C-alpha cells in the first residue's frame, strides 16, 4: 500500500516514464523511411525485402496489439512494459548490426511484437494514475501528442543520425531509452492487473496474424514476380484464415476482436476513417523521404531539414485540435482538418522533378500532418464516446489497432502501387534500374539520361500516390461527415 501511495504522489513522473518507450515505438514506425536508401545501398535487398523491412514492424505492432494487451492484463501492466522494453532493446541492437536483409526484417518483427505490448499497458496505467476525468483526459492527450510527435520527428531524427553515423544508429537510439525505462519504471509505476481479464485465445491471434501476413505476401509477390501460382495460393490461404478468424470471434465469449462494436454505425465509420487516414499517411511518408533523397539528390541530413515544417505543424495541431474541439465540437473540426489533409495530397499529385518540388513536397507533408494531427485525437475520442461504458476498453483498443494496421497496409499497398507505376513509366524491363527507385539511382549514376528517366518515373509514381491520397481522404471525410449517434445501449 505504501508503494502505491507514493506512486500516486508523482503521476507526472509516471506519465513521463510511460511516454519514453511510446516515443520510441512511434519513431520506429516511420524512421525507416530515412534509413531505407542507406540500408538498400549497403545490404542490397530485393524489392520485396525492401518493403518487408518497413512493413514487418508495423504489421506486427498492429496484429499483436489486442493479444499483447490481454497478456498485460493477466500478468501485470508494469511487468509487461519492463519485459517488452528489454526485448525491444535487444532486437534493436541485433538490427543495428545486421549484415543481411532477412536479419533486419526479423529484428524489426520482434521489435513490433514488443512495441505492440507497450502501448495498451501504458494506456491502462494512465487510467490508474489519473483517477479524475479531467486530469485523465489531459494525460491521455499528452500521451497521444508524444506518439504523434514521435512519428513526425522520426525523419528528422533519422536524417541527423545518418549524417554522422551508419544506418544502424537509427536502431541503436532505442537501447538507452529502453534501458532508462527499465531502470526507473519499478520505482514510479504501480503494478496493476485485472482479476477478470479475458482468456488469451492463441488460435485467434495466429489466425489474424496469418491472414494479414499471407495477404500482404501475396500482394508483394504479385508486384515483384507477377501473379504466379504461389501468389494466388497464398492469397487464398489469407482469405480462408480471415473467414475462420471472423467465424471464431462470433462464437467466443471473450473475442479477440469485438465485432459487435464494428457493426455499430458510429464506431464502424470512425474506425474506417482512422484506418484510411493512417493508410495514406503511412504510405506517403515512405515516398516523401525517397523523393527528397533519391529524386532531389539530398543527403539524409539535408532532407531532414525539409521535414521540420511537418514536425512543427504536427505538434501544434495535436495540441490545437483538443482545444478547438472544446470550443466548436467534433464535426466542426474533423471535417475541415481532413480537407486540409486533402490539400496536402493535392500538392503531392503535382510534384515535379525540378528543385521546386522540395518546397512543394515539404508543404504537402506539413498540410497533411497538420490536418491529421488535429483530427486524429478527436477520431480516437469519437470511437470511445460512441462505445458503451462497459466496452470502452475494447473501443480504445480497436481505435489504436485501426491506426496501426492502416499505417502498415499503407506502406504495403502504396509501396506496391508506386512500384507498379514506376516500372510502367520507366519501361526498361531488362535494366536493373527497373527493380526499384533505390536500385535505379545506384545503377543510373554515370548515365545522365537513365538517371533522369529513373527520377521522372519515381516522381510520376509519387504523383499517383498523391491522387490516391486525395480520393482516400475524401472518403474519410464522407465517413466522418455522417451524424454521430450512439447506437448501442
Amino acid at each position: 500500500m505504501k508503494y502505491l501511495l507514493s506512486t500516486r504522489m508523482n503521476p507526472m513522473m509516471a506519465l513521463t516514464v510511460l511516454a519514453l518507450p511510446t516515443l520510441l515505438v512511434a519513431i520506429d514506425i516511420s524512421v525507416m523511411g530515412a534509413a531505407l536508401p542507406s540500408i538498400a545501398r549497403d545490404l542490397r535487398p530485393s524489392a520485396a525485402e525492401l518493403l518487408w523491412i518497413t512493413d514487418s514492424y508495423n504489421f506486427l505492432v498492429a496484429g499483436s496489439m489486442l493479444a499483447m494487451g490481454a497478456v498485460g492484463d493477466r500478468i501485470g501492466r508494469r511487468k509487461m512494459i519492463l519485459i517488452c522494453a528489454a526485448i525491444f532493446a535487444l532486437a534493436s541492437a541485433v538490427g543495428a548490426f545486421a549484415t543481411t536483409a532477412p536479419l533486419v526484417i526479423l529484428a524489426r518483427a520482434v521489435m513490433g511484437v514488443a512495441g505492440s505490448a507497450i502501448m495498451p499497458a501504458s494506456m491502462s496505467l494512465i487510467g490508474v494514475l489519473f483517477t479524475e476525468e479531467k486530469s485523465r483526459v489531459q494525460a491521455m492527450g499528452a500521451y497521444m501528442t508524444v506518439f504523434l510527435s514521435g512519428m513526425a520527428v522520426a525523419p528528422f531524427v533519422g536524417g541527423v543520425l545518418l549524417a554522422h553515423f551508419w544506418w544502424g544508429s537509427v536502431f541503436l537510439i532505442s537501447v538507452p531509452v529502453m534501458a532508462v525505462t527499465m531502470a526507473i519504471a519499478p520505482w514510479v509505476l504501480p503494478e496493476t492487473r485485472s482479476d477478470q481479464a479475458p482468456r488469451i485465445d492463441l488460435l485467434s491471434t495466429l489466425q489474424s496474424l496469418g491472414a494479414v501476413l499471407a495477404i500482404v505476401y501475396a500482394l508483394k509477390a504479385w508486384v515483384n514476380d507477377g501473379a504466379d501460382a504461389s501468389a494466388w495460393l497464398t492469397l487464398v490461404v489469407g482469405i480462408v484464415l480471415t473467414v475462420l478468424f471472423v467465424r471464431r470471434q462470433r462464437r467466443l465469449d471473450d473475442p479477440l476482436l469485438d465485432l459487435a462494436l464494428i457493426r455499430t454505425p458510429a464506431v464502424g465509420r470512425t474506425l474506417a476513417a482512422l484506418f484510411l487516414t493512417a493508410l495514406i499517411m503511412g504510405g506517403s511518408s515512405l515516398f516523401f523521404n525517397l523523393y527528397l533523397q533519391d529524386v532531389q539528390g539530398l543527403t539524409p541530413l539535408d532532407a531532414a531539414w525539409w521535414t521540420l515544417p511537418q514536425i512543427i505543424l504536427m505538434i501544434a495541431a495535436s495540441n490545437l485540435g483538443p482545444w478547438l474541439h472544446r470550443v466548436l465540437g467534433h464535426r466542426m473540426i474533423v471535417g475541415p482538418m481532413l480537407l486540409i489533409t486533402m490539400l496536402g495530397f493535392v500538392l503531392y499529385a503535382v510534384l515535379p522533378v525540378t528543385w521546386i518540388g522540395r518546397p512543394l513536397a515539404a508543404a504537402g507533408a506539413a498540410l497533411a500532418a497538420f490536418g491529421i494531427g488535429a483530427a486524429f485525437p478527436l477520431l480516437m475520442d469519437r470511437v470511445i464516446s460512441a462505445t458503451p461504458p462497459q466496452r470502452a476498453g475494447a473501443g480504445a483498443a480497436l481505435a489504436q489497432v485501426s491506426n496501426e494496421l492502416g499505417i502498415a497496409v499503407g506502406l504495403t499497398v502504396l509501396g506496391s502501387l508506386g512500384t507498379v507505376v514506376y516500372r510502367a513509366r520507366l519501361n526498361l524491363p531488362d535494366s536493373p534500374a527497373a527493380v526499384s527507385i533505390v536500385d535505379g539511382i545506384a545503377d543510373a549514376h554515370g548515365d545522365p539520361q537513365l538517371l533522369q528517366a529513373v527520377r521522372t518515373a519515381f516522381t510520376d509514381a509519387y504523383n499517383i500516390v498523391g491522387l490516391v491520397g486525395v480520393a482516400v481522404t475524401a472518403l474519410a471525410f464522407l465517413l466522418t461527415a455522417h451524424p454521430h449517434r450512439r447506437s448501442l445501449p
Side-chain angles (χ1 to χ4, degrees):
M1 176 65 73
K2 182 179 179 180
Y3 169 78
L4 290 175
L5 288 174
S6 65
T7 300
R8 294 178 191 276
M9 292 174 62
N10 298 280
M12 295 311 297
M13 175 64 76
L15 181 61
T16 302
V17 172
L18 292 175
L20 279 175
T22 301
L23 179 66
L24 265 298
V25 171
I27 286 176
D28 274 295
I29 289 174
S30 53
V31 75
M32 279 296 105
L36 207 57
S38 300
I39 293 175
R41 285 189 288 268
D42 189 8
L43 301 183
R44 305 295 290 181
S46 66
E49 289 174 334
L50 201 62
L51 283 176
W52 276 117
I53 288 173
T54 57
D55 293 348
S56 57
Y57 177 85
N58 303 298
F59 274 114
L60 267 298
V61 167
S64 305
M65 187 170 289
L66 289 174
M68 297 301 281
V71 174
D73 290 342
R74 277 184 169 268
I75 73 171
R77 284 92 179 205
R78 186 185 66 186
K79 183 183 294 184
M80 198 68 176
I81 290 174
L82 290 171
I83 292 173
C84 290
I87 295 173
F88 198 98
L90 180 61
S92 298
V94 172
F97 297 101
T99 56
T100 64
L103 188 56
V104 174
I105 294 170
L106 177 62
R108 292 272 291 168
V110 174
M111 290 167 64
V113 174
S116 72
I118 290 173
M119 291 194 66
S122 299
M123 295 176 76
S124 296
L125 284 174
I126 289 175
V128 173
L129 292 163
F130 297 88
T131 55
E132 296 182 1
E133 182 179 359
K134 182 179 179 180
S135 62
R136 185 170 62 250
V137 170
Q138 291 174 339
M140 193 64 73
Y143 181 83
M144 293 310 301
T145 297
V146 170
F147 177 80
L148 292 171
S149 300
M151 289 189 61
V153 80
F156 185 79
V157 171
V160 172
L161 289 172
L162 292 170
H164 301 285
F165 307 102
W166 89 117
W167 57 263
S169 60
V170 302
F171 285 88
L172 286 183
I173 58 172
S174 303
V175 176
V177 174
M178 292 302 181
V180 169
T181 299
M182 289 185 288
I184 299 177
W187 302 100
V188 299
L189 297 180
E191 180 59 285
T192 65
R193 61 177 58 87
S194 174
D195 295 332
Q196 299 178 341
R199 182 177 63 87
I200 301 167
D201 187 57
L202 180 60
L203 182 56
S204 292
T205 303
L206 294 176
Q207 286 174 337
S208 62
L209 274 176
V212 170
L213 294 177
I215 293 173
V216 171
Y217 178 85
L219 177 61
K220 292 177 183 294
W222 176 72
V223 170
N224 292 285
D225 303 315
D228 56 14
S230 63
W232 282 109
L233 178 60
T234 308
L235 179 61
V236 170
V237 170
I239 294 172
V240 170
L241 287 174
T242 301
V243 172
L244 292 174
F245 173 77
V246 171
R247 292 181 61 183
R248 184 169 180 80
Q249 302 318 293
R250 290 174 175 172
R251 294 196 305 267
L252 292 175
D253 293 331
D254 296 309
L256 186 64
L257 181 64
D258 193 340
L259 298 177
L261 287 179
I262 297 177
R263 290 194 295 267
T264 305
V267 176
R269 288 193 303 272
T270 307
L271 288 173
L274 274 170
F275 175 82
L276 292 173
T277 52
L279 182 151
I280 197 64
M281 287 299 291
S284 62
S285 65
L286 174 64
F287 284 84
F288 179 54
N289 287 284
L290 289 174
Y291 175 80
L292 290 176
Q293 293 188 45
D294 287 338
V295 174
Q296 294 295 325
L298 301 180
T299 65
L301 181 58
D302 290 337
W305 289 111
W306 286 100
T307 68
L308 278 180
Q310 175 186 8
I311 296 169
I312 294 170
L313 286 186
M314 172 68 85
I315 295 173
S318 60
N319 288 279
L320 181 64
W323 178 81
L324 289 174
H325 165 246
R326 290 194 297 271
V327 176
L328 300 175
H330 270 294
R331 295 182 64 195
M332 294 298 292
I333 300 303
V334 173
M337 290 302 109
L338 290 178
L339 291 178
I340 291 174
T341 301
M342 193 185 305
L343 180 59
F345 290 117
V346 169
L347 294 182
Y348 284 166
V350 297
L351 287 178
V353 180
T354 58
W355 68 268
I356 195 66
R358 301 177 193 179
L360 282 177
L367 288 172
F370 181 82
I372 293 296
F376 178 75
L378 305 184
L379 290 171
M380 294 281 286
D381 181 67
R382 179 178 287 188
V383 173
I384 297 172
S385 65
T387 303
Q390 66 271 24
R391 300 186 187 178
L398 278 174
Q400 190 61 49
V401 169
S402 295
N403 175 61
E404 299 289 349
L405 189 59
I407 293 171
V409 171
L411 286 166
T412 296
V413 172
L414 294 184
S416 299
L417 174 64
T419 300
V420 170
V421 175
Y422 167 77
R423 290 176 177 176
R425 293 288 193 269
L426 193 59
N427 195 25
L428 295 172
D430 297 326
S431 171
V435 175
S436 71
I437 177 65
V438 176
D439 293 320
I441 293 294
D443 292 320
H445 281 299
D447 187 339
Q449 289 186 336
L450 179 57
L451 185 62
Q452 182 64 21
V454 167
R455 288 174 169 165
T456 300
F458 180 80
T459 304
D460 290 343
Y462 199 0
N463 296 154
I464 296 298
V465 168
L467 290 175
V468 173
V470 172
V472 170
T473 310
L475 179 57
F477 174 82
L478 293 175
L479 288 169
T480 58
H482 195 284
H484 171 55
R485 298 186 183 95
R486 183 188 291 270
S487 301
L488 286 179

